[in-house]
Amino acid sequence: MLLLLAVLIGVLYGSAVYLLLRRNIFKLVLGLIFLGYATNLLLFVASGLTSGYPAFIRNLEGETATMSDPLPQALILTAIVIGLGVTAFALVLVYRFYSVTGTVDLDELSENE
Amino acid sequence: MNSGLLIGLLLLLSFLAPFTRRYLNNLAGPLYAIVPVAGIIYYLRALPVILKGEVITESYKWIPVYDINLSFYIDGFGILFSLLILGIGAFILIYAGKYMVPYPMKGRFMGYLILFMAAMLGIVVSGNLITMFVFWELTSISSYLLIGYHHEKPEARTAALQALLITGFGGLALLGGFVLLGLPYGTYELSTILADPEPIRSSVLYLPALILILLGAFTKSAQFPFHFWLPGAMTAPSPVSAFLHSATMVKAGVFLLARLNPVMGDTQIWHILLTTFGTVTMVMGAWFSITQTDLKKILAYTTVSALGTLVLLIGTGTQYAINAAIIFLLVHALYKGTLFMMAGNIEKMTGTRDITKLGGLFKEMPVAAIVMSLALVSMAGIPPMLGFVGKELIYEATSLAPTSRYLILLAAFFTNSVLVFLSLRLSLDVFWGKRSDYQKKPFDPYVALMAGPVVLVLLSLLLGLFPANLAAPLTAMAITSVSPGHVAVGLKLWHGFNLVLLLSALTLFTGYFMYRYKRMILEHSGSINLRYFAREFSNGFVAAVDGFLHFTKKQTSRIQHGYHRFYLMTVFAVASVLVWVMIWRADPIILELNFADMPLNLVAVVVLIIAAALSAVISHSRVIALVAMGVIGFGISIIFIAFSGVDLAITMIMVEVLMVILAMAVLYHLPKYAKYSESGARMRDGLVASLVGAFMMVLVLQAGTTQMSEPISSFFKEASYSEAFGRNVVNVILVDFRALDTLGEISVIAIAALGIFSMIKLSKRKEI
Amino acid sequence: MMEWIVSILLISGALFMLVAAIGVVKLQDVYMRMHAITKAASLGAILMLAAVVLWHPQWIVAIEALMVVLFVILTAPIGAHMLARVSHHMKVPIGQGYIMDELQDAIDRNEMDGTVSDEDKAIDADKL
Amino acid sequence: MILVLPIMLPLLFMVALIFTRRWLAFQQVFSLIASFALTFLSALLLAEVSRKGIMTLQLGGWPAPYGITLVVDLLSAIMLTTTSFVALVVMIYSPGFIDKERQTAGYYPLVFGLLMGVNGAFITGDIFNMYVWYEVMLTSSFVLIALGGSAEQLRGSVKYVTISFVASIFFVSAIGIMYGQAGTLNMADLAYKMRSWEEMPYMNSALMLFFIAFSIKAALFPFFFWLPASYHTPPVAITALFAGTLTKVGIYTMMRFYSLFVVEDVMFWKIFLLVIAGLTMTVGVLMAASQFDIRKILSFHIISQVGYMVMGLVIFTPQAVAAAIYFTVHNMLSKTGTFLAGGLVYQRSGSYDLKYLGGLYKSMPFLALLFFVPAMSLAGIPPLPGFFGKLFLVKGGFAAGDYLITGVAIAVGLFTLFSMVKIWNEAYWKSEPENMPAPSRVSNLTLAASSLLVLAVILLGVFVGPVMKITHEAAVQLTDPLIYIQAVLGKQ
Amino acid sequence: MIQPDTYPVLSFAVYFSFACLTISLFAGLYRLLTGPSLPDRIVVMDLIASLVIGLIINYVMLTGQPVFLNVAVAIALLVFMGNIAFAKYLKRRVQQ
Amino acid sequence: MLKIFTFLLRIFRLILFIGYYLKELVVSSLYVAYDIITPKDLMRPGFVEVPIDLKNETAVIALVNLISMTPGSLTVDMSPDKKKIYIHAMYLFDKDAFIRKIKNELEDRIRLIFD
Amino acid sequence: MESVILQIAARHMRPILIVLSLVVLYRGHNEPGGGFIGGLMLGAAFILYAMAFGVSKTQKSISFSPVTMTALGLLIALLSGVPALFSGSPFMTGEWITLFQHTVVELKLGTPLLFDVGVYLTVAGMLMLVMFSIMED
Ligand code: NA
Ligand code: NA
């Protein structure tokens, strides 16, 4: 299972990077979103996988031993929400960028440097 | 009074000068001079103690952790220099107070001069290498500000920059040298270092330290091949040339060499380097001075030559040589200070310093003519001026040099002959002969302008007349500090008939001969210069700076090219190289491939996500990419569910949907996009992307297969309900165990919200 | 017994979804595929939810399952409606055998909003 | 308890300022008072820590490796103090410099958001928490850099946002990889565990990811592109604030991580980072030399100077690290000082371009002084603090036997001097260009702020002894990570 | 947890259901990749949402954890908003 | 008292309606499913205009949704005055029968519950 | 002209979503949910409304500014850490009270729940703000 998910994570990172290297600014943002997905998944997978035992206390004996690790889940939740905030900002930035510069071509960013 | 206080007072004065100058008006110069005069009095009072061979030290704690102190160390050599600096300095202040009257920003100018004085004094009385270095650099900076006084002229800026960069370069080397020198001692205190040369001599650091220190000294003292900044610095007003660029600052390098002679000196490499560079500089300075016509440039090149002589003498290191060095230092300071001030006076009176446009000034400026001629007599080394004593000693020292004796002697002979030639020229061509036309009628300058030259030249005369009584004790106390093993040789005007006298006579004759046939000499040396030295060093410097700028500009546009995606590509490419190196350095992962634990449905979900990701990448349609993004989100939340992440899956779905909505809302405004990259670029990007993806994959495998310690989360599981009263452990972590994370996270959210609000708000403003 | 009922519900729900998916592949135009998705898939979900409730006879499970059903019924048609409407605006190619288009008639009578432009045919969906 | 204030106070201030966002005058006065309070608080913390040693706080009362621990050692306290002072100066500077629209569009709350993130990163003892503070800080900086929304700004922000985002992603990924292996997030705990393992086959890969993340934020070679591409675009007060705080967080983190986590393969890390440091110094300064825009020269310069800090850190003797810390502090002050002085030039002459500037030495001598002092400090001219920073770095480098990098560091000094003098020669000494617009008035507040900073630079040089004593103690703490570990975990 | 040895029939049903859903996922994928029109691709998201609800139910049955149903609620509640956003965007495109 | 009675009546009608609707749902689902999985095509698709008389918005949305949830019909649009809806139907063998079925069976029952 | 159906649906969905978001928020400590998810749901409620009726109508339908809401959330979250100080515990230590103890409706309230309310408001406020900003036309 680990190998499969590792491959998946690799593909997601790869796609994200590829999108980031495009000229279209929208693909850039898409790449950022993908990077976020890949990373969330990485956090989840790298810290060990437990099937079928969500981290809820149900008054059962010895349940904590088999329970999935809640910490990475909490971290991912935090990362997701942060990602949402930053991505939302990036989206508005792209919107403003287009309305001010009139282009979505990133190569046109090169002027003036 | 002590040295620290004196320097402090000078610094204070330099700070106050810009604010007080305009109120004090013409009195400013003399009033400011009170401080150095007080200093002179203090040192003169200390003189008896020093003459007994004692050393006065002061020390103030500065950076105690590293044992760096603000120490002062006043020995015979130091006090000699101090008197010179303060004495000439006082006269320069008086001189400058008058000289600068027609110019703007006099206050700042005076301030810089005094700042320089403080710094220079600091160098010579420093008892700690770091202290000395601080003052050393201060002289460079004040020199920069002074050379650039006429900063609206491009050549002044260039000259100032040139001087600063050359001495700055040397300063940096010196810093390295000092630090290295201090290493074997564990301290920078001169008293410790000077007491015992052994630690550094036996260290491998000796050679690097020596070379670095020599770089510092040579640049400051305008040794070949760093000499060219000094003639350039002549764009500065004459008080500056007189004070910094002849009498004092340029001597700092020589001072340093002499100061460190007991520790660094007397080794093979020391002799070779110093005598070689000293000789070359001496001859070269003399040679280039021949063809100059600008009064100050002539003096500048002779200064270069004199500095070469001093370095040569210190490098020679014999008893006579050290004696000669000390005497010549004094001699040179006295006559060169005078000459520069006089050059300034002549320019002031006639409006030019071109000697071909000067002549017959004796009638209008008799006092000036006498003073200047006397100084020139000293320069030519003719009795009874002190210059004669100096030149005699030089001949004696060089004739006794341990190596390359005749070559050096020849060089000294040539140099001295040129000095005689120039002395004749500067005195006869300027004050006698045919009178030129001047813009206004010249007259003998004001007292304030003449006070310095007169006193200095008289001092030169006095010391020359009574060398044994006046000059000898000073040399004697200096030589014990510079070269502890040696004693002072007796100084006298008359040595009897010997080789040295013969050389002196020959020198005078040659000098006169050169003057007699000066037209021919000038012609020939001019053509030689044109042929071999057409490219002046300073031009070379300017070209080098331009070339450097051009190079950096090109490099910059190559590196910081502005193409965002290449920035990103560099980041990713380098990152993957680095991470791959780490992976390669680690042990290979042993993977137990167990296909039984791969539920088919999850394989399907993974394949689905991969297909969606690839279609997002390949597709030209952004809508399809967004749909694919949505599909990926669903897939990931299924993976979360498969491995027990309930809250995660819910959040993922919701964020996913909201993200799609937001992205659509943005797309709503964006135009179609039709440019596609070439296949080559795609291949390259694909390669980088797969490198990144692959290393992330390997890292996940590494992390997933190793478990070095028990995770801390067992605590959360135990404490979640019993201590934090929540059954949803993930939520309890978020709002209790790690609430600070969450607080930070909602701050991010709030800040992003505020940012979005601001951007839209400000954009509206522009549209209205 | 319960196991059997639950199993049948589960299987039939999954089959419904499968049929919907086949429909998505097989049906000839976007409207029909939408039919398949909104209905068959939702119905499949409802059947499967019934299985869950029967297997876990707790109030909370029942309420949650009911919420899923209600929300599916409430939201799926809205989404489908929005897409179908815009598909009609876009003049997405339709399959064979259509016998009438009264919506287009209404649009032609200007009773309904149906944005039409000359470029309709020229719209290259991939480039949007 | 006081430990929580460097984070909570800025947050409180930010919230208060958001609520009052329409009342400009209130915002200006309040931010001034607030940033003064923060400065006072950090100074207090510094005093406390230097008296009592490392202070820790277990948030929520959860014990050390489990909950989030706030840790203030001397390094943190020094960074806190410097940062809040820089912010105070910028707060004095801003009302007279930044246009009213920006000021009412959230400028003040955002500055406190930035400070919250920066302070959080300085005092947290938890890796993931550090990531969160990084994000707080970065998001604020994203907004600040885009605030105003000119085309140039937006261009800069797109680059800045993207590359920073990528860095954050590397950061989180590294946390994931690291947690997967070590099972802990507490930095002291992790450091402790790392020292107890026989070997840790894969930990260094995660460290490399961390390194990449931090070197992007610290603008090390070859990850610096975002900085010169974006720092010149916002109003210079914002750039000054960034220069004084933001890039230094990257350096701070690197110091912390290097101290705690470089356990295995130390030689590799040292050589590798020294090479990076050398390249960073050199490339940065060469690029600075070629520029003609004051802000760009200064921006490229930031890069070069970061190389020095890394060098001092990596040599990792108490002396060298102390030098690096001192250098960092000096750089935060002097760099901000030069930027603010550049702002004054702009306010006066309407341009940052050296080609269109001149004559300021004559017309505004005091302004010239305000630039000259921090610029010379950056160039390492004694007795300004930049000199001492360089001196101790050189001393530390030579003493540790790292001659090559020290030699490079010395050589780079010359180009630094060159680029500073270039600004001086062109903007101050050159005569005024013909078509220069009529000079406008420089506001008294901006002058006052700039003077305050220059004064601080001078004082940092004057009191190098006492300051160096503190940085040395900080370096001793940093070079012996067991002190930190013990303070947090309370075990040997 | 449902194991084949305790609940053979149900266990079979769950796995059978997994198989159906898996095949359906690929059917959706096929439509996503082939289109032809944009709405064709967009509705795939709805299909996948439904399939995900099915998968969630399967996980509930398999693991005996009804808590996963919460995710299904979220999907049922929100996914249609994506459709609305797409529709709005496409409408605007047509209008241009 | 009367209110309670009408409320209970509505509940009763609702339950009846759910029963009716489920039956319809199963029948038509099977029909569509059959059509999908068999190769032969029975379809007669088209867009139909159906007038509605419901006043209550809740009733309208319920009707619209239930039409869409019924296999074979999908609400595409509604007129701004909420008097007409446009349905995409898959099996339009008899347009009038189709409209009648919607109006008499669905609309009436819904009106009884909501109005 | 926006779809009438959508408008009717949005009018119906908004209260449902708001109520549900509150439920999710409250349950969060023991069941799936919490401040994030609740906040996202609340935000979604207004986004849906805005998609149906446009931004200005949506803004008119609420009496508070999303910026204020965000800041308020932040303030609540921050203040929830303060009560701990009065009992001498470190900042952010959970403080709990139990209402209706030993009855059927026993209710445990604590500062962590208050903290979650802060999260809830902040997340929702931010979502609303973003949406209102981008969708404006
Ligand atoms: Na692991
Ligand atoms: Na059929």
Side-chain angles (χ1 to χ4, degrees), chain F residues 3-67:
Chain F
K3 272 186 182 168
I4 296 175
F5 177 75
T6 42
F7 180 73
L8 285 177
L9 188 67
R10 276 188 189 183
I11 296 291
F12 179 70
R13 279 177 177 155
L14 182 64
I15 293 167
L16 276 187
F17 175 75
I18 290 173
Y20 159 80
Y21 189 73
L22 280 179
K23 185 206 85 190
E24 282 297 304
L25 208 54
V26 173
V27 170
S28 48
S29 293
L30 288 174
Y31 190 89
V32 176
Y34 172 80
D35 199 5
I36 287 175
I37 49 186
T38 53
K40 197 167 164 249
D41 222 335
L42 308 171
M43 288 174 199
R44 300 283 305 278
F47 295 88
V48 198
E49 183 181 285
V50 180
I52 51 168
D53 308 316
L54 293 169
K55 301 280 182 307
N56 186 322
E57 270 199 355
T58 315
V60 171
I61 197 79
L63 176 68
V64 163
N65 281 15
L66 290 175
I67 290 170

Side-chain angles (χ1 to χ4, degrees), chain G residues 46-68:
Chain G
F46 288 96
I47 289 176
L48 176 62
Y49 201 80
M51 286 198 293
F53 293 99
V55 171
S56 45
K57 258 194 179 164
T58 316
Q59 267 174 331
K60 267 179 214 139
S61 76
I62 51 174
S63 51
F64 51 87
S65 135
V67 184
T68 313

Side-chain angles (χ1 to χ4, degrees), chain D residues 439-458:
Chain D
S440 24
R441 223 179 68 81
V442 176
S443 105
N444 286 334
L445 264 185
T446 54
L447 268 180
S450 221
S451 319
L452 182 61
L453 202 54
V454 167
L455 187 68
V457 169
I458 293 172

Side-chain angles (χ1 to χ4, degrees), chain G residues 81-120:
Chain G
V82 175
L85 303 183
F86 295 109
S87 60
S89 319
F91 188 73
M92 294 194 122
T93 307
E95 298 287 323
W96 292 87
I97 50 163
T98 312
L99 298 179
F100 320 118
Q101 207 157 5
H102 309 301
T103 65
V104 192
V105 286
E106 183 178 302
L107 197 58
K108 257 180 138 53
L109 291 179
T111 49
L113 296 185
L114 193 61
F115 182 84
D116 230 9
V117 173
V119 176
Y120 171 81

Side-chain angles (χ1 to χ4, degrees), chain E residues 1 6 10 15 17 20 46 55-57 76 78 87 91:
Chain E
M1 273 296 202
T6 48
L10 189 54
Y15 284 107
S17 159
C20 289
D46 283 11
L55 284 172
I56 291 168
I57 293 165
L78 287 184
K91 183 149 193 296

Side-chain angles (χ1 to χ4, degrees), chain A residues 46-48, chain B residues 703-707, chain D residues 180-181:
Chain A
S47 52
Chain B
T705 48
T706 45
Q707 180 82 63
Chain D
Q181 295 170 68

Side-chain angles (χ1 to χ4, degrees), chain B residues 40-106:
Chain B
I40 294 174
I41 293 169
Y42 162 65
Y43 285 120
L44 284 178
R45 284 170 56 136
L47 206 55
V49 187
I50 306 290
L51 280 172
K52 269 186 250 161
E54 285 175 32
V55 173
I56 299 174
T57 55
E58 290 164 35
S59 192
Y60 307 93
K61 287 239 171 303
W62 193 9
I63 312 171
V65 230
Y66 294 131
D67 198 27
I68 292 173
N69 300 317
L70 197 63
S71 316
F72 298 108
Y73 177 91
I74 298 124
D75 61 355
F77 189 51
I79 207 165
L80 180 67
F81 244 104
S82 310
L83 287 170
L84 213 57
I85 292 161
L86 292 171
I88 297 182
F91 286 117
I92 292 283
L93 285 182
I94 296 168
Y95 177 77
K98 184 73 194 167
Y99 184 90
M100 299 303 289
V101 166
Y103 296 104
M105 294 189 290
K106 296 175 274 283

